[in-house]
């Protein structure tokens, strides 16, 4: 076992004991009341999950093991001469609960590089799709194809004890994360670059190698990738991709199957596909207005028109956040340093200036502020990664870090199968009648 795995086990054993004590001594304590509106409306605001890796505050944004995004950008190890955190470090932090040293991060980079070989049949599965297939469809299928490699599934079929589940899930998680950049880059180069593939460079960090395989050697794009793959990694446990991974994992489906479920959720336009939708929406606006940099007045009119058509303004709003997403601000800060004069990026900033009051004036949108997806596409376009239907795959590669470290925790803590109670509207009507007759 590698030392990170040993350390994880030590931490998980301590946490396991703490949780047992919490349940024994306080298991009957009520957290909150649940209303019928919450039950009907997407379980919004109901606390129903434990996810150890990160916690979202609606006004402050995400914290990973207590660290905000600006803190992570300052404290996590970087490549020599770099400014942005290495996602390897965030993975260590989410898994172990402590900031990593440079040695820890190098150890994870090396482990992922050693395990990154993708078996041929996975490429055959990708090749069997028409190139017109959406990259997320190809990505989900490729993850499913990789499932033949699952150590967990093999061990389970051989009768491994529940106490050992975490160990095989950990191995699968590490292998899957190692291979995702190669799979994503393969889908990208096949679809957009005539199938001219670029071999991995095992001497680079996870993000640097990913950028290299996509076709980028520019150090500033690699820095963007390090930032991008860090900030998209986790957003506590209730978002669709994290929750789907956790839910499917709770049936003891292996990490490949569980992560594929998370990714099919990420592919929805209200979740991770919004980064693609933002760029399409801006493109359509620019085409309609025949301008590469529409004025704020023109943007305001276009937003109103979008709302009148009964469509969402992509990149705005959030189920939990009630302020500008700090992931949007981190990207804005990066753009101010690297490409402040880009006309698409300036348009993203102009939208930020005009959209919130218009959205707020509808009286129904709970959060009129931008989320992570409002900015990411414009930065990618600046560096020449212009194929917006690939953007959600990048989000997915990053999200693997959060949801798979969480899955290790789920199994190490022995969490049971997830099975909330559901009711029918018939049941609700009877319940209300009974409540009335008692009153
Ligand atoms: N544009 C237009 N209408 C909106 C928007 C928006 N950006 N955001 C919310 N609404 C509407 C929403 O559709 C709902 O309308 P109705 O009552 O007619 O069904 C109403 O406002 C209340 O919704 P909220 O409670 O504010 O938002 P909810 O928690 O249901 O949904 C999102 C959250 C993120 C799904 C929603 O804000 C949205 O659709 N945003 C645009 C898509 C997007 O950017 N998604 C990315 C989220 C981040 N991520 O990466 O996952
Ligand atoms: C995410 O990163 O998962 C999104 O912001 C959606 C969410 O948190 O609900």
């Amino acid at each position: 076992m590698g030392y990170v795995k040993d350390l994880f086990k030590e931490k998980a054993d301590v946490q396991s004991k703490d949780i047992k004590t919490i349940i024994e001594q306080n298991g009957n304590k009520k957290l909150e009341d649940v209303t019928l509106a919450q039950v009907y409306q997407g379980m919004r605001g109901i606390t129903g999950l434990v996810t150890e890796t990160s916690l979202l505050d609606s006004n402050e944004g995400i914290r990973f093991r207590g660290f905000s995004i600006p803190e992570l950008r300052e404290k996590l190890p970087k490549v020599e001469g770099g400014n942005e955190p290495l996602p390897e470090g965030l993975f260590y932090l989410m898994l172990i609960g402590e900031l990593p040293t440079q040695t820890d991060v190098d150890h994870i980079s090396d482990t992922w590089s050693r395990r990154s070989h993708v078996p041929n049949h996975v490429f055959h599965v990708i090749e069997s799709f028409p190139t017109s297939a959406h990259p997320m469809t190809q990505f989900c299928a490729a993850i499913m194809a990789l499932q033949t490699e699952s150590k967990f599934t093999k061990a389970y079929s051989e009768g491994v004890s529940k106490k050992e589940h975490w160990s095989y899930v950990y191995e699968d998680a590490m292998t899957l994360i190692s291979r995702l950049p190669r799979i994503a880059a393969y889908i990208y180069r096949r679809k957009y670059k005539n199938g001219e593939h670029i071999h991995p460079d095992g001497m680079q960090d996870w993000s640097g190698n990913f950028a290299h395989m996509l076709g980028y050697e520019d150090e500033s794009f690699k820095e963007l990738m390090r930032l991008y793959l860090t900030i998209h990694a986790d957003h506590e446990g209730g978002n669709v991709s994290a929750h789907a991974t956790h839910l499917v994992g709770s049936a003891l489906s292996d990490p490949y199957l569980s992560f594929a479920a998370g990714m099919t959720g990420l592919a929805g336009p209200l979740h991770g596909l919004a980064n693609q939708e933002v760029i399409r929406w801006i493109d359509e606006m620019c085409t309609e207005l025949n301008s590469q940099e529409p004025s704020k007045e023109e943007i305001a009119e276009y937003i109103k028109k979008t709302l009148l058509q009964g469509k969402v303004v992509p990149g705005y709003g959030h189920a939990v956040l009630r302020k500008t997403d700090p992931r949007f601000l981190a990207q804005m800060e990066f753009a101010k340093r690297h490409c402040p004069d880009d006309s698409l990026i300036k348009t993203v900033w102009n939208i930020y200036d005009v959209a919130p009051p218009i959205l707020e004036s509808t009286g129904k949108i709970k959060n009129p502020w931008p989320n992570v997806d409002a900015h990411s596409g414009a930065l990618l376009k600046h560096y020449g990664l212009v194929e917006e239907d690939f953007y959600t795959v990048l989000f997915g590669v990053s999200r693997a870090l959060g949801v798979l470290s969480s899955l290790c925790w789920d199994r190490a803590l022995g969490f049971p199968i997830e099975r909330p109670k559901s009711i029918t509207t018939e049941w609700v009507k009877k319940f209300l009648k009974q409540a009335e007759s008692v009153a």
Side-chain angles (χ1 to χ4, degrees):
M1 274 210 282
Y3 77 90
V4 176
K5 188 173 180 182
D6 292 336
L7 191 54
F8 169 66
K9 177 70 174 133
E10 263 173 44
K11 300 279 176 191
D13 284 348
V14 174
Q15 186 82 328
S16 224
K17 272 198 194 127
D18 286 352
I19 292 173
K20 257 191 205 116
T21 313
I22 290 171
I23 295 174
E24 269 164 27
Q25 296 179 358
N26 295 289
N28 288 331
K29 288 233 161 77
K30 263 196 185 173
L31 275 183
E32 61 207 4
D33 290 324
V34 173
T35 65
L36 275 174
Q38 286 177 300
V39 172
Y40 270 108
Q41 293 169 340
M43 298 194 273
R44 206 69 83 255
I46 300 178
T47 307
L49 292 170
V50 171
T51 302
E52 305 288 2
T53 46
S54 65
L55 186 65
L56 184 60
D57 177 272
S58 49
N59 289 309
E60 210 199 8
I62 193 68
R63 278 184 182 266
F64 300 83
R65 298 290 195 169
F67 293 98
S68 68
I69 285 180
E71 286 165 353
L72 289 185
R73 288 178 86 190
E74 189 201 318
K75 291 180 197 296
L76 283 179
K78 303 168 178 61
V79 289
E80 220 182 305
N83 279 313
E84 299 303 338
L86 283 159
E88 288 90 325
L90 177 64
F91 178 77
Y92 181 99
L93 176 67
M94 289 189 288
L95 194 69
I96 303 296
E98 288 164 11
L99 284 172
T101 62
Q102 190 69 49
T103 312
D104 299 326
V105 163
D106 291 345
H107 174 79
I108 291 185
S109 276
D110 290 348
T111 308
W112 289 353
S113 172
R114 268 189 282 108
R115 290 190 186 198
S116 63
H117 176 77
V118 174
N120 267 338
H121 75 274
V122 177
F123 297 125
H124 294 156
V125 167
I126 297 172
E127 291 290 345
S128 72
F129 279 94
T131 48
S132 58
H134 194 279
M136 277 306 277
T137 307
Q138 299 187 45
F139 188 56
C140 295
I143 295 161
M144 291 294 284
L146 254 191
Q147 190 265 350
T148 53
E149 303 285 293
S150 174
K151 297 256 191 303
F152 176 81
T153 289
K154 184 166 182 293
Y156 194 85
S157 70
E158 289 165 0
V160 71
S161 147
K162 185 179 176 188
K163 285 199 181 103
E164 298 303 317
H165 285 176
W166 73 273
S167 171
Y168 296 93
V169 165
Y170 180 96
E171 293 302 332
D172 279 357
M174 292 298 261
T175 304
L176 177 50
I177 292 169
S178 311
R179 294 175 177 179
L180 289 174
R182 174 86 168 112
I183 289 173
Y186 191 91
I187 292 168
Y188 179 74
R189 303 280 314 174
R190 172 175 180 262
K191 187 169 165 78
Y192 307 110
K193 304 289 170 186
N194 301 318
E196 289 158 16
H197 297 291
I198 299 172
H199 283 294
D201 174 359
M203 300 309 285
Q204 298 201 42
D205 58 287
W206 192 65
S207 321
N209 181 38
F210 187 20
H212 159 76
M213 289 187 287
L214 288 170
Y216 290 87
E217 296 308 337
D218 175 1
E219 196 44 43
S220 134
F221 181 78
K222 289 183 183 173
E223 281 286 271
L224 174 65
M225 275 297 101
R226 290 175 192 121
L227 175 66
Y228 186 104
L229 297 173
T230 297
I231 63 177
H232 286 80
D234 210 29
H235 218 227
E236 72 172 27
N239 67 75
V240 171
S241 50
H243 191 187
T245 307
H246 165 81
L247 169 70
V248 173
S250 82
L252 297 186
S253 306
D254 64 54
Y256 297 88
L257 300 172
S258 308
F259 181 60
M263 290 302 97
T264 54
L266 193 74
L270 297 190
H271 191 19
L273 202 77
N275 53 13
Q276 163 192 303
E277 298 296 294
V278 166
I279 291 301
R280 290 204 176 150
W281 182 81
I282 296 177
D283 275 353
E284 279 161 21
M285 170 173 72
C286 291
T287 307
E288 189 171 313
L289 298 170
N290 197 21
S291 162
Q292 281 317 296
E293 238 181 89
S295 67
K296 289 186 186 177
E297 293 70 30
E298 287 174 318
I299 293 172
E301 286 313 308
Y302 196 77
I303 292 171
K304 288 178 195 159
K305 187 176 157 192
T306 303
L307 293 174
L308 274 176
Q309 288 170 335
K311 297 194 281 194
V312 295
V313 176
Y316 280 76
H318 200 274
V320 182
L321 278 169
R322 293 296 175 257
K323 286 273 166 65
T324 298
D325 191 334
R327 300 173 295 179
F328 176 93
L329 294 174
Q331 295 178 88
M332 191 170 180
E333 193 274 329
F334 184 97
K336 282 189 174 155
R337 253 189 305 127
H338 292 266
C339 39
D341 299 322
D342 182 290
S343 60
L344 178 57
I345 286 172
K346 282 200 265 176
T347 297
V348 164
W349 296 346
N350 285 337
I351 298 170
Y352 182 32
D353 281 343
V354 301
I358 301 171
L359 295 176
E360 191 138 50
S361 71
T362 64
K364 66 171 186 177
I365 297 170
K366 296 194 190 67
N367 175 39
W369 301 103
N371 58 57
V372 65
D373 298 314
H375 209 306
S376 53
L379 269 167
L380 294 165
K381 275 220 167 189
H382 171 79
Y383 285 97
L385 212 160
V386 296
E387 301 88 356
E388 69 264 6
D389 46 358
F390 186 71
Y391 294 168
T392 310
V393 175
L394 295 176
F395 193 157
V397 171
S398 170
R399 188 49 57 102
L401 304 181
V403 301
L404 291 172
S405 52
S406 269
L407 205 60
C408 293
W409 274 100
D410 291 349
R411 296 292 74 78
L413 298 175
F415 284 168
I417 190 163
E418 190 177 301
R419 195 356 183 139
K421 175 86 187 91
S422 74
I423 47 178
T424 62
T425 300
E426 198 49 42
W427 183 98
V428 171
K429 286 176 181 166
K430 275 191 197 146
F431 165 82
L432 291 174
K433 253 196 196 143
Q434 268 171 12
E436 242 172 53
S437 64
V438 171

